[in-house]
Amino acid sequence: MTACPVSHELLDIEYEWDKLPVPSSLREFEAAWSNRRNPLDYSGVWRFRKLLPFASDSQIVTIGEGQTHLQQTDAVGKYIGLNSKQCYLQYEGMNPSGSFKDNGMAAASTHARIVGAKVAACASTGNTSASLAIYGGVTGLFKVIVFVGSGKIAYGKLSQALDYGAVTLQIQGDFDDALEKVRLVSKEAGIYLCNSVNPFRLEGQKTIMYRVLEGLGWEIPDWIVVPGGNLGNSSAFGKAFIELKQLGLIDRIPRLAVINAAGANTLYDLYQHHNLRWNAGRPDQTLIDKFYADMDTQNRRANTLASAIEINRPVNLKKCLRALQACDGVVREVNDTEILNAKAQVGAYGFGCEPASAASVAGAKLLREQGVIAPSDRVVCILTGHQLKDPTATVGYHAPETDEAKKLAKSGVNQCSFKNTPIPVANDLQQILSVIRGLK
Ligand code: F0G
């Protein structure tokens, strides 16, 4: 069960902190880091287990998730418009399945084990399915069934689900359709559901923020910028900061910027144009219902090359509103051209990331241009997924004559400002040398 049977609102995890051994300072977690031989301390999720204390050590599932780092980069900072030393990228592509999802899946798998689940399922734009599949495959604890939309998943991700042995159902339609179906099927068939409707997923994803703070020597940045799809991350980040403040472990909460793709901008539209707010736990349901009813009448479907966030019905909408309230947040949208240009800059100067991840960098740039983020602000952009997840988008961007490039152009992306085009050259020593000598 992931929602209250009466209100239908998603469940949320609350701890009785006064009965739990809460750390006296965040620095305590650094000590765990030095105890790397213990898999629970090695895990970038579970070394913070006192802040997600729902399982005993013997119940915890880990495959070494969360070995991810905060990287400072002046080159990407310059692109965004920040002063030197102020731009950081939290690179979640270093997780075992190549995306941030492993943070949440470690926690959801642990809960699945606690309740003795034998089959687990999710709907996915690709990364959730890759993550669930790897947890099922490595641990052998449960069989995995994934629901993906037809033709709506990047090949790198589909290949992972298949290779890790998940039963893969390609549902006609998009992610929103697949999620609706997997929720019904899981309920009907008693299958453990691992989408971010599952509140344990969010518990694991809180740790991304703990690692960011750890990377900053426990200083609080001015901004956290994150792509918004199903809004699990933004919701989890808000919860992490609310709890840390409540526990007296931080004295200030950073501001949160959630970035939608323009072709999948439900949060942006509702927050920016319809003034939907958390409203002390009572967001205007009529407004939300009307928005979705209009969406259905007009048959508006999500449409962006950032396929990971091609989502029109974000299930964590209300929890995200809570996060935005707690973090004095803002919401913006960026188009596919802006996303792919930002991605190319991350690739050239950072580590590479998949398109959806680059929405954070494109969004930070936009907020800088609008004067919302100041040049002197310390900004952390979350890079949610690995560059190799979606080679089609990358090749299309850089290689003009390819089918991939035609796909991009068809989607309206023609202004590839940082193209690194392959150079055709004859298989001839002199001609190769002359090309190399001509390079600037
Ligand atoms: N970035 C990447 C790389 C993702 O895979 C996703 C979500 C998001 C951002 C959005 O995060 O949902 O927490 O707002 N991917 C899901 C999936 C939907 O099925 O893999 P969110």
Side-chain angles (χ1 to χ4, degrees):
M1 185 166 57
T2 52
C4 166
V6 182
S7 69
H8 304 294
E9 298 295 347
L10 294 183
L11 299 181
D12 195 33
I13 307 231
E14 272 188 34
Y15 300 103
E16 294 182 274
W17 294 110
D18 51 346
K19 298 188 183 142
L20 290 161
V22 176
S24 53
S25 142
L26 284 169
R27 291 194 181 275
E28 211 179 275
F29 293 110
E30 281 176 38
W33 188 224
S34 61
N35 188 23
R36 293 168 65 96
R37 277 169 203 258
N38 173 357
L40 301 194
D41 286 336
Y42 177 70
S43 163
V45 169
W46 297 115
R47 75 172 182 272
F48 298 102
R49 56 196 178 280
K50 281 186 181 170
L51 295 173
L52 49 152
F54 67 86
S56 65
D57 283 8
S58 61
Q59 292 169 323
I60 285 176
V61 174
T62 177
I63 62 166
E65 57 287 320
Q67 307 309 317
T68 65
H69 303 287
L70 188 70
Q71 302 288 340
Q72 195 249 309
T73 157
D74 277 350
V76 177
K78 193 169 169 208
Y79 176 68
I80 293 173
L82 295 171
N83 293 348
S84 86
K85 307 254 183 294
Q86 297 303 75
C87 177
Y88 291 81
L89 304 176
Q90 173 69 14
Y91 188 51
E92 288 299 309
M94 290 295 281
N95 271 293
S97 80
S99 86
F100 75 92
K101 301 284 179 183
D102 297 345
N103 293 284
M105 216 50 86
S109 301
T110 297
H111 184 250
R113 179 192 218 173
I114 293 172
V115 300
K118 293 287 166 262
V119 186
C122 69
S124 186
T125 56
N127 282 327
T128 307
S129 51
S131 182
L132 180 58
I134 203 174
Y135 274 87
V138 172
T139 65
L141 284 169
F142 39 75
K143 193 178 169 64
V144 173
I145 305 175
V146 305
F147 289 51
V148 296
S150 47
K152 290 282 185 181
I153 176 171
Y155 252 48
K157 306 175 187 183
L158 180 59
S159 70
Q160 287 182 290
L162 300 176
D163 220 29
Y164 299 143
V167 174
T168 304
L169 305 180
Q170 287 191 294
I171 307 292
Q172 257 183 11
D174 59 14
F175 172 81
D176 294 315
D177 299 315
L179 182 57
E180 190 192 341
K181 284 296 166 306
V182 79
R183 288 181 82 173
L184 292 172
V185 170
S186 299
K187 201 168 164 198
E188 195 72 21
I191 293 172
Y192 189 85
L193 183 57
C194 284
N195 280 101
S196 57
V197 289
N198 179 332
F200 292 96
R201 277 271 313 274
L202 271 50
E203 290 307 293
Q205 286 168 217
K206 291 190 309 192
T207 65
I208 300 171
M209 289 302 102
Y210 307 151
R211 294 197 298 276
V212 164
L213 297 188
E214 191 178 45
L216 293 172
W218 307 110
E219 284 179 15
I220 312 293
D222 297 303
W223 287 93
I224 301 288
V225 190
V226 63
N230 229 356
L231 305 178
N233 256 345
S234 43
S235 301
F237 297 175
K239 188 170 190 283
F241 289 119
I242 292 169
E243 289 173 350
L244 289 181
K245 184 96 196 299
Q246 186 191 339
L247 293 171
L249 292 168
I250 55 172
D251 53 14
R252 176 170 84 82
I253 290 181
R255 295 191 70 184
L256 179 69
V258 185
I259 314 299
N260 271 165
N265 64 354
T266 297
L267 176 70
Y268 174 73
D269 216 348
L270 281 170
Y271 194 80
Q272 201 69 14
H273 295 143
H274 295 83
N275 208 27
L276 181 69
R277 290 293 183 273
W278 173 238
N279 191 26
R282 295 184 185 281
D284 186 344
Q285 186 65 47
T286 332
L287 192 64
I288 301 172
D289 290 343
K290 180 168 181 325
F291 186 87
Y292 286 138
D294 289 350
M295 186 182 271
D296 287 342
T297 315
Q298 295 159 16
N299 197 22
R300 275 190 279 135
R301 311 299 293 192
N303 183 21
T304 167
L305 287 169
S307 59
I309 51 174
E310 191 175 53
I311 296 170
N312 253 357
R313 290 177 182 270
V315 287
N316 289 295
L317 176 64
K318 290 185 183 169
K319 288 184 183 175
C320 177
L321 294 173
R322 176 176 66 183
L324 288 163
Q325 168 72 36
C327 302
D328 188 15
V330 296
V331 183
R332 290 294 183 273
E333 61 171 4
V334 287
N335 65 33
D336 285 356
T337 304
E338 291 163 330
I339 288 175
L340 290 181
N341 281 329
K343 173 177 139 36
Q345 289 288 282
V346 171
Y349 299 121
F351 296 84
C353 64
E354 65 166 289
S357 310
S360 61
V361 172
K365 180 173 164 57
L366 176 67
L367 287 162
R368 219 353 255 120
E369 283 160 6
Q370 293 174 340
V372 180
I373 291 181
S376 56
D377 283 351
R378 187 185 267 190
V379 178
V380 177
C381 296
I382 312 299
L383 298 184
T384 46
H386 200 282
Q387 193 252 10
L388 294 175
K389 290 280 192 173
D390 189 356
T392 309
T394 310
V395 172
Y397 183 91
H398 291 293
E401 301 306 330
T402 56
D403 288 348
E404 289 80 8
K406 283 173 202 146
K407 191 176 158 199
L408 250 63
K410 232 164 127 190
S411 312
V413 177
N414 292 306
Q415 212 188 327
C416 301
S417 311
F418 308 103
K419 226 182 254 201
N420 182 22
T421 307
I423 306 165
V425 54
N427 186 8
D428 174 272
L429 178 64
Q430 288 315 318
Q431 290 201 39
I432 295 171
L433 285 174
S434 103
V435 168
I436 290 173
R437 286 186 184 124
L439 295 175
K440 284 190 201 110

